[in-house]
Amino acid sequence: MWVFIPLKDFVKAKQRLSGFLSPSERRCLFQAMVEDVLDVLTQVSSLERIILLSDDPAATLLAEHYGIDCWSEKALGATGLNPVINAAVNSVVGQVDAAMVVHGDLPLATQEEWEEVLAVHRQIVNPNKLTLVTDRHCDGSNVVVCSPPGALAYEYGPESCHHHRQQAQDNGLVVEILELQGLSRDVDDGDDLLELLNRDWGRRGPKTLQYLRENKLDLRIKALMTRETNSAFIKMNAVHN
């Protein structure tokens, strides 16, 4: 199985966190999350190839460090998340039996969770199949495993889990939907950051949590989120009164 990890320009990553972190802080946080993902994913022996999809020089350096591949978006002739993923996956149709698309903001995933996803996918008898790990809101598609590659047109965005599942069913694929503690927790907004910081995750996400705590960003984020919550509460009371 080949794994594709689309990575935006690191400087522009995680725009929804702009109210909490500066551009340079978002960049460093995103790289820490990607490294947490790769630290674990590269330990999964059943994966044949891991490929980053990005034009960012940081992605090239990460690929060299981890001994994996990096495909340029320009070389794929595509722009934007969905076109890039679809171009990459379609380029390997006929070469591999299955392709997995993973996002770089899943620092809490464990090796056991990755292996569980692969095991579930293998156990589906039908060769035409889709295994999807949704986010904690049951809305997004954090991990998508498709056999054969090219049997699904990737549609990331609002309600992507629903769109992928419906399309797969329309195309005659057997669909398995999973929710796992680490893999279902992507880090997109302030609420995700707060949950990341307020729970004891054990050994999960070490580089991500270390970056936030060593730079005291955890204290800033908690203070800003508390302020936002209090402000929303005051406004709600004002409306009702």
Side-chain angles (χ1 to χ4, degrees):
M1 181 180 298
W2 289 19
V3 182
F4 295 96
I5 308 178
L7 301 177
K8 295 179 180 179
D9 182 329
F10 282 38
V11 176
K12 297 178 181 178
K14 297 298 161 191
Q15 296 287 336
R16 292 170 67 182
L17 299 178
S18 58
F20 306 92
L21 305 173
S22 69
S24 62
E25 290 167 343
R26 293 199 307 273
R27 183 194 183 288
C28 291
L29 174 62
F30 184 60
Q31 177 150 343
M33 290 195 289
V34 173
E35 290 184 14
D36 276 332
V37 170
L38 293 176
D39 283 342
V40 176
L41 200 56
T42 52
Q43 300 303 309
V44 181
S45 59
S46 60
L47 298 176
E48 300 173 69
R49 197 170 179 184
I50 299 174
I51 303 162
L52 306 182
L53 305 176
S54 180
D55 287 329
D56 195 305
T60 302
L61 293 174
L62 282 174
E64 292 175 357
H65 175 74
Y66 285 95
I68 59 178
D69 298 294
C70 184
W71 288 3
S72 164
E73 294 182 9
K74 291 179 181 178
L76 289 168
T79 302
L81 179 63
N82 289 322
V84 166
I85 294 173
N86 284 306
V89 172
N90 289 334
S91 74
V92 304
V93 171
Q95 298 181 52
V96 294
D97 294 331
M100 179 163 71
V101 177
V102 173
H103 293 287
D105 58 354
L106 302 170
L108 299 176
T110 64
Q111 182 176 342
E112 291 74 19
E113 287 181 339
W114 289 114
E115 291 175 345
E116 180 178 349
V117 173
L118 298 175
V120 167
H121 191 73
R122 284 194 299 268
Q123 288 166 8
I124 301 173
V125 178
N126 195 312
N128 303 307
K129 51 192 176 181
L130 177 79
T131 301
L132 189 153
V133 182
T134 185
D135 63 8
R136 63 192 178 99
H137 305 294
C138 298
D139 177 76
S141 306
N142 287 1
V143 180
V144 178
V145 189
C146 187
S147 297
L152 183 78
Y154 294 87
E155 299 180 55
Y156 289 98
E159 299 184 350
S160 68
C161 178
H162 168 74
H163 295 312
H164 287 144
R165 178 174 54 189
Q166 187 61 55
Q167 184 192 156
Q169 291 172 340
D170 291 344
N171 292 346
L173 304 182
V174 175
V175 180
E176 184 73 37
I177 306 293
L178 303 175
E179 184 177 354
L180 300 171
Q181 185 179 37
L183 279 176
S184 292
R185 279 165 173 78
D186 51 331
V187 181
D188 269 336
D189 56 27
D191 288 332
D192 296 332
L193 274 178
L194 196 60
E195 186 189 30
L196 181 72
L197 294 169
N198 281 344
R199 291 182 58 179
D200 180 5
W201 295 103
R203 297 182 179 180
R204 297 172 185 258
K207 291 182 178 177
T208 300
L209 289 167
Q210 181 181 11
Y211 173 72
L212 290 169
R213 289 166 179 163
E214 282 189 351
N215 294 278
K216 301 189 184 303
L217 299 178
D218 56 334
L219 301 179
R220 183 202 303 169
I221 291 163
K222 289 179 181 180
L224 289 171
M225 287 298 293
T226 300
R227 191 181 307 164
E228 283 192 3
T229 301
N230 291 339
S231 177
F233 181 75
I234 291 171
K235 288 180 181 179
M236 181 179 66
N237 283 343
V239 170
H240 288 297
N241 292 333

